[in-house]
């Protein structure tokens, strides 16, 4: 089995918030990895700490937040140790974020077009875009080969031998295209770097030439002025020329124009950003982009506002997208559309996605892996199939029992009690007070993370060898059977 590429690694992260009542322990020793091209869903009730972990990745924690300990590794660096000027190059540009409420995420008095293009103008550089253009064909071929492999794996029409042969063929194609992509990226970067070194040399020469010409010209006129008699037409003309052509303001303006000519060769212009905005607006399902580009947020519906927020996140071409409850503030009829949009964009752009939600049902059709959080800790994680079809933690059972289901004839169950006060976290299992299956040890000692399989882990004493054997509730079994049937009906695996 090929080792997956890790793009983000969170290690033992603990975050607290200063309040008048004391320190609220929001995140307590959270660790997880995000793999290249996958969607990791982080699920839990409000206050479980799921959004705090994502805001830690983005470097946008509230001012009263304190990172007690932990590391967040990205591209060989610990994001928690980066100065703001360095973080600014990553936030939005390499790691984008879609927020929960599109209304509060948008500036109500700024046209949406300006808000969409702002990210690209600030963060986008023509240099990087040109590099990408040079290896775009190889990247498309590589992505298409990966998608084709997934299609073959999911195709039930193949017999076992034929499928194995087809998979072997496409894997060979993937290996070949990957080598070509790596070579093309390297060559493209070298080509553009050489071009921009020439641009910079030209800029510096022009700057030095202008400064030299300016100083020499000014010195010559000052000498003539000194040799002229005050009040004569010649004196007045020389003085006027000095003030007009050799003033400090003109000197600075000319240098600015030289610098601007250089920057235009490496930075994205407003016109280019507008064209890219039209393209992305169409990609996220906003019709008539040329017309809607000039409109204000209040002229859009909730679903369209969220599409604008998604467009803003995509403008700087990020490789990681964090979705923080992106459908919670939307009407139920629009939620499915936005979820499908995010899923589609992820495939087309080969994004790695962290998807945060309180609704376990939302992730069923979007996640590859799931981490369940409670009281600042991850209590269960695994593949989508692990968590949905073989849940082990009582809190996961409770989430599944309370999950809306149009096929269920029973009343929607709620999780009894309330989450613990994180000013004073319990010494045992934080879910014990709400868990009808809790044992005495749950109130005394926190459970370790037990290994269920190579991909599945859960922190519950019920998995201890000495614990009583307890099967999951019947209501969960019934839901699992119903979900499998629904997926089969829809043509899934």
């Amino acid at each position: 089995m090929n080792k997956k590429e890790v793009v983000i690694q969170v290690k033992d992260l603990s975050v607290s918030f200063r309040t008048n009542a004391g320190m609220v322990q929001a995140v307590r020793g959270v660790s997880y990895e995000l793999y290249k091209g996958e969607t990791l869903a982080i699920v839990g009730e409000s206050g479980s700490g799921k959004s705090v972990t994502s805001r830690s990745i983005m470097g946008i924690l509230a001012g009263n937040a304190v990172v007690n300990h932990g590391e967040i590794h990205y591209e060989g660096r610990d994001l928690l140790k980066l100065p703001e000027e360095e973080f600014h190059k990553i936030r939005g540009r390499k790691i984008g974020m879609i927020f929960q409420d599109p209304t509060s995420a948008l500036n109500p008095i700024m046209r949406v077009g300006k808000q969409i293009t702002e990210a690209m103008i600030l963060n986008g550089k023509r240099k990087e875009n040109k590099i990408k253009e040079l290896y775009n064909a190889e990247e498309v071929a590589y992505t298409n080969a990966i998608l084709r492999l997934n299609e073959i794996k999911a195709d039930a029409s193949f017999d076992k031998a034929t499928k194995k042969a087809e998979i072997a063929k496409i894997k060979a194609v993937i290996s070949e295209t990957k080598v070509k992509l790596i070579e093309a990226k390297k060559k493209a970067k070298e080509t553009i770097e050489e071009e921009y070194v020439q641009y910079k040399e030209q800029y510096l020469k022009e700057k030095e030439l202008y400064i030299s010409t300016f100083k020499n010209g000014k010195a010559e006129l000052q000498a003539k002025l000194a040799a002229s008699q005050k009040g004569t037409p010649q004196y007045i003309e020389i003085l006027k020329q000095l003030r007009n052509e050799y003033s400090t303001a003109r000197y600075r303006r000319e240098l600015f124009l030289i610098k601007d000519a250089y920057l235009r060769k490496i930075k994205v212009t407003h016109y280019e950003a507008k064209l890219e905005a039209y393209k992305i607006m169409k990609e996220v399902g906003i019709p008539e982009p040329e017309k809607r580009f000039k409109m204000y947020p209040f002229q859009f519906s909730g679903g369209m506002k969220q599409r604008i927020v998604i467009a803003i996140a995509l403008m700087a071409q990020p490789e990681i997208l964090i979705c923080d409850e992106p459908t919670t503030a939307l009407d139920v009829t629009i939620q499915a559309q936005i979820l499908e949009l995010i899923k589609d964009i992820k495939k087309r752009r080969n994004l790695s996605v962290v998807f945060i939600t309180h609704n376990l049902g939302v992730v069923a059709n979007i996640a590859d892996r799931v981490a369940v959080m409670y009281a600042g800790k991850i209590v269960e994680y695994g593949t989508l199939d692990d968590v949905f079809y073989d849940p082990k933690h009582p809190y996961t059972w409770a989430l599944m029992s309370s999950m809306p289901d149009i096929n269920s004839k029973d009343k929607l169950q709620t999780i009894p009690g309330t989450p613990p006060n994180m000013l004073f976290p319990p010494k045992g299992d934080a879910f014990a007070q709400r868990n009808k299956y809790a044992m005495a040890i749950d109130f005394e000692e926190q459970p370790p993370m037990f290994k269920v399989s190579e991909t599945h882990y859960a922190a519950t004493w019920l998995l201890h060898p000495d614990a009583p054997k307890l099967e999951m509730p019947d209501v969960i079994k019934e839901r699992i059977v119903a979900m499998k049937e629904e997926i089969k009906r829809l043509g899934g695996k």
Side-chain angles (χ1 to χ4, degrees):
M1 184 177 177
N2 293 331
K3 191 175 180 181
K4 295 178 181 177
E5 180 185 347
V6 176
V7 289
I8 286 277
Q9 184 181 37
V10 178
K11 295 176 70 176
D12 196 26
L13 179 67
S14 289
V15 181
S16 299
F17 291 90
R18 295 190 191 93
T19 69
N20 292 333
M23 297 294 285
V24 176
Q25 298 179 41
V27 174
R28 304 184 296 154
V30 164
S31 299
Y32 64 78
E33 295 175 336
L34 175 68
Y35 300 128
K36 177 76 173 175
E38 79 156 355
T39 297
L40 171 67
I42 303 178
V43 186
E45 292 172 285
S46 296
S48 62
K50 56 191 187 297
S51 292
V52 177
T53 60
S54 66
R55 288 173 180 269
S56 300
I57 293 172
M58 291 294 289
I60 54 171
L61 287 170
N64 65 331
V66 178
V67 178
N68 302 313
H69 56 78
E71 301 169 9
I72 300 175
H73 292 282
Y74 172 68
E75 291 189 335
R77 295 182 289 178
D78 184 356
L79 297 183
L80 296 177
K81 293 179 181 175
L82 283 186
E84 178 54 32
E85 57 268 23
E86 287 297 311
F87 220 134
H88 184 69
K89 297 174 184 177
I90 293 172
R91 186 189 301 115
R93 187 171 172 183
K94 293 191 172 184
I95 307 175
M97 191 165 189
I98 302 170
F99 294 93
Q100 179 175 339
D101 184 5
T103 302
S104 60
L106 295 170
N107 186 331
I109 59 171
M110 185 187 290
R111 297 181 194 272
V112 298
K114 187 173 182 181
Q115 296 187 60
I116 295 171
T117 56
E118 200 170 37
M120 187 174 182
I121 291 167
L122 288 172
N123 295 318
K125 289 189 175 180
R126 183 180 288 122
K127 176 179 174 179
E128 292 177 3
N129 294 344
K130 285 186 77 173
I131 289 173
K132 196 163 185 178
E133 282 174 15
L134 291 174
Y135 68 74
N136 186 58
E138 286 81 3
E139 187 171 53
V140 170
Y142 179 67
T143 303
N144 286 342
I146 294 288
L147 291 173
R148 178 58 186 150
L149 178 63
N150 293 334
E151 287 173 5
I152 292 170
K153 286 181 176 179
D155 195 337
S157 64
F158 287 109
D159 60 69
K160 194 173 181 179
T162 306
K163 180 176 279 194
K164 188 176 180 180
E166 288 297 318
I167 287 174
K169 282 182 189 175
I170 198 68
K171 280 187 174 179
V173 173
I174 289 171
S175 297
E176 185 181 338
T177 53
K178 187 175 183 179
V179 170
K180 287 182 179 178
L181 177 59
I182 292 169
E183 289 176 352
K185 279 185 176 182
K186 185 179 178 182
K187 187 176 179 181
K189 191 172 183 180
E190 288 172 353
T191 302
I192 299 300
E193 287 289 352
E194 288 173 6
E195 184 180 329
Y196 283 94
V197 165
Q198 292 172 4
Y199 285 159
K200 191 162 187 176
E201 286 175 354
Q202 183 184 345
Y203 156 67
L204 291 172
K205 283 179 183 177
E206 288 182 23
K207 180 181 175 181
E208 288 172 10
L209 179 63
Y210 179 76
I211 292 171
S212 174
T213 304
F214 177 88
K215 286 181 176 178
N216 291 339
K218 187 176 182 179
E220 188 178 334
L221 279 178
Q222 285 174 331
K224 286 182 180 179
L225 187 69
S228 302
Q229 188 177 348
K230 282 187 178 180
T232 62
Q234 184 187 15
Y235 182 91
I236 293 169
E237 184 61 35
I238 293 171
L239 189 63
K240 189 187 291 183
Q241 195 174 354
L242 269 169
R243 286 173 178 170
N244 291 343
E245 295 184 30
Y246 292 94
S247 68
T248 302
R250 182 181 178 87
Y251 173 57
R252 288 177 178 168
R253 175 172 168 74
E254 291 298 327
L255 283 178
F256 171 80
L257 291 174
I258 293 170
K259 186 176 182 180
D260 185 61
Y262 165 65
L263 289 176
R264 281 180 178 275
K265 292 176 180 178
I266 63 169
K267 287 201 67 78
V268 173
T269 65
H270 286 268
Y271 179 69
E272 287 172 322
K274 184 192 287 188
L275 294 180
E276 184 66 18
Y278 290 165
K279 179 181 168 185
I280 288 179
M281 287 171 80
K282 286 179 181 176
E283 184 181 357
V284 300
I286 301 174
E288 301 179 286
E290 294 85 354
K291 176 184 174 183
R292 293 172 184 264
F293 187 87
K294 301 174 184 177
M295 294 166 66
Y296 290 92
F298 73 86
Q299 295 174 284
F300 293 82
S301 66
M304 279 296 166
K305 284 178 189 173
Q306 193 61 295
R307 290 174 190 269
I308 292 165
V309 172
I310 294 171
I312 291 171
L314 295 177
M315 275 297 283
Q317 307 289 335
E319 62 179 42
I320 297 169
L321 191 62
I322 297 175
C323 306
D324 190 356
E325 302 259 18
T327 62
T328 302
L330 303 177
D331 187 276
V332 176
T333 56
I334 306 299
Q335 288 185 9
Q337 296 175 18
I338 297 299
L339 288 172
E340 280 301 314
L341 174 62
I342 292 171
K343 187 178 174 182
D344 184 49
I345 287 170
K346 177 228 172 184
K347 283 183 179 177
R348 273 189 273 121
R349 291 176 173 248
N350 195 29
L351 294 170
S352 305
V353 177
V354 176
F355 193 96
I356 296 161
T357 180
H358 66 276
N359 184 356
L360 191 57
V362 165
V363 305
N365 196 35
I366 198 169
D368 298 298
R369 288 188 303 129
V370 179
V372 180
M373 281 194 73
Y374 185 77
K377 287 179 170 287
I378 291 177
V379 297
E380 183 164 9
Y381 72 90
T383 66
L384 182 68
D385 286 357
D386 288 336
V387 176
F388 263 75
Y389 300 146
D390 191 25
K392 296 298 182 184
H393 200 286
Y395 180 61
T396 312
W397 296 349
L399 286 177
M400 292 188 75
S401 298
S402 62
M403 193 170 68
D405 181 4
I406 59 173
N407 297 316
S408 178
K409 296 176 184 178
D410 300 321
K411 279 187 178 181
L412 191 65
Q413 296 187 28
T414 56
I415 304 175
T418 57
N421 182 354
M422 297 313 291
L423 281 166
F424 310 102
K427 64 177 181 178
D429 186 338
F431 190 58
Q433 291 285 354
R434 307 172 73 186
N435 179 13
K436 66 180 181 181
Y437 307 106
M439 300 175 288
I441 193 172
D442 285 304
F443 296 92
E444 297 297 327
E445 191 176 339
Q446 290 185 17
M449 192 65 83
F450 289 96
K451 182 177 179 180
V452 181
S453 71
E454 290 299 323
T455 57
H456 190 188
Y457 296 80
T460 171
W461 285 116
L462 292 174
L463 293 174
H464 191 279
D466 297 335
K469 301 306 174 189
L470 182 69
E471 290 191 8
M472 72 177 76
D474 289 339
V475 64
I476 307 298
K477 291 179 181 178
E478 290 168 7
R479 288 206 158 202
I480 290 172
V481 171
M483 284 190 292
K484 286 182 176 180
E485 288 177 353
E486 181 68 8
I487 289 172
K488 188 177 180 181
R489 186 184 67 81
L490 294 172
K493 57 181 179 180

